[in-house]
């Protein structure tokens, strides 16, 4: 009698916005490596997710490429700094997916369009409904919803300083959105949720919880 085939575990995938999620949001483009300044605790949060078996991918709109304010060599240098700083904390980003277009281009990959997320789903072989998406803007949530992913809003970056009521007004625009204080809180939520699914005791510290 043949031995039973091992059960294949689904790859766990979380997709993050970049500016305002991993690094401080700037009104200007992050054009130089030294301008990429990680948010407190963000690199540790990525490392913690990695250690818990999560693959982390970045999906970012970079219209400066389309307008000529950025070039790929400069953007690659910025992401090299990001990866070097992450490596020092024991973390990694598996891939960075970029939309280089301006709003006028009418592409399908500029968030809130779902194109980047659909390509990530195809590349990693993970169904969209099993992908966690987190960002600091409504367009991140809208892209997640359009692709069928799980939306999470972080109170960092462009949400920093907003009142509970203002954040709730953003989150309610996309069904199923959960709100977390920062990337650390999101990591805690995902890890604890998995533990609870396995029947392990855990408590939540993910901000003020879900908004539906």
């Amino acid at each position: 009698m043949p031995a039973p085939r091992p059960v294949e575990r689904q790859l766990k995938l979380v997709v993050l916005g970049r500016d305002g999620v991993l690094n401080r949001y700037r009104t200007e483009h992050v054009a130089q490596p030294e301008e990429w300044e990680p948010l407190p605790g963000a690199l540790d949060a990525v490392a913690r997710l990695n250690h818990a078996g999560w693959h982390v991918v970045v999906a970012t709109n970079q219209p400066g490429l389309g307008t000529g304010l950025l070039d790929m060599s400069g953007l690659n240098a910025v992401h090299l700094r990001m990866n070097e700083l992450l490596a020092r904390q024991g973390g990694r980003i598996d891939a960075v997916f970029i939309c280089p277009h301006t709003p006028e281009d009418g592409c399908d990959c500029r968030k809130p369009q779902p194109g980047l997320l659909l390509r990530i789903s195809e590349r990693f072989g993970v169904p969209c409904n099993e992908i966690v998406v987190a960002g600091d803007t409504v367009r991140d949530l809208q892209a997640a919803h359009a692709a069928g992913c799980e939306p999470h809003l972080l109170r960092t970056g462009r949400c920093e300083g907003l009142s509970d009521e203002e954040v709730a007004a953003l989150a309610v625009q996309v069904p199923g959105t959960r709100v977390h204080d920062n990337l650390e809180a999101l990591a805690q939520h995902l890890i604890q949720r998995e533990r609870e699914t396995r029947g392990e005791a855990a408590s939540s510290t993910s901000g003020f919880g879900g908004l539906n």
Side-chain angles (χ1 to χ4, degrees):
M1 184 174 181
R5 297 179 61 184
V7 177
E8 295 185 5
R9 297 188 63 184
Q10 178 66 56
L11 184 147
K12 299 183 297 185
L13 186 60
V14 57
V15 179
L16 305 176
R18 195 194 73 177
D19 302 330
V21 175
L22 287 166
N23 56 287
R24 294 192 185 278
Y25 173 73
R26 294 164 44 95
T27 54
E28 305 88 4
H29 295 291
V30 179
Q32 302 295 329
E34 60 271 16
E35 294 173 349
W36 196 90
E37 183 182 357
L39 287 170
L43 302 185
D44 286 335
V46 173
R48 189 176 179 200
L49 285 168
N50 293 155
H51 296 162
W54 288 83
H55 293 258
V56 180
V57 172
V58 167
T60 177
N61 292 346
Q62 293 296 324
L65 292 171
T67 61
L69 294 175
L70 295 174
D71 59 36
M72 280 306 302
S73 63
L75 189 60
N76 288 338
V78 169
H79 291 154
L80 177 61
R81 169 175 165 81
M82 176 182 73
N83 286 320
E84 288 175 343
L85 293 176
L86 269 167
R88 296 176 191 175
Q89 302 299 321
R92 69 183 186 280
I93 297 293
D94 284 41
V96 178
F97 283 70
I98 298 165
C99 170
H101 304 108
T102 67
E104 294 72 31
D105 290 330
C107 66
D108 70 347
C109 56
R110 179 177 169 82
K111 295 179 287 186
Q113 299 301 318
L116 284 183
L117 298 176
L118 296 176
R119 289 165 200 171
I120 291 169
S121 171
E122 181 179 7
R123 172 80 65 84
F124 286 86
V126 179
C128 283
N129 64 354
E130 296 182 16
I131 296 176
V132 171
V133 175
D136 67 325
T137 68
V138 169
R139 67 170 174 257
D140 293 307
L141 306 178
Q142 291 170 332
H145 182 69
C149 302
E150 180 182 316
H152 294 258
L153 181 64
L154 306 186
R155 299 187 68 166
T156 53
R158 280 150 285 196
C159 277
E160 186 176 7
L162 297 183
S163 67
D164 287 356
E165 292 75 17
E166 290 170 323
V167 172
L170 296 177
V172 77
Q173 297 181 43
V174 176
T177 295
R178 294 189 62 89
V179 178
H180 310 272
D181 286 341
N182 47 41
L183 189 53
E184 291 176 292
L186 172 68
Q188 179 75 3
H189 166 74
L190 295 177
I191 292 167
Q192 289 184 341
R193 185 173 68 179
E194 185 177 26
R195 288 173 178 168
E196 291 168 357
T197 299
R198 296 198 305 259
E200 300 176 18
S203 59
S204 177
T205 59
S206 301
F208 55 79
L211 295 169
N212 299 301

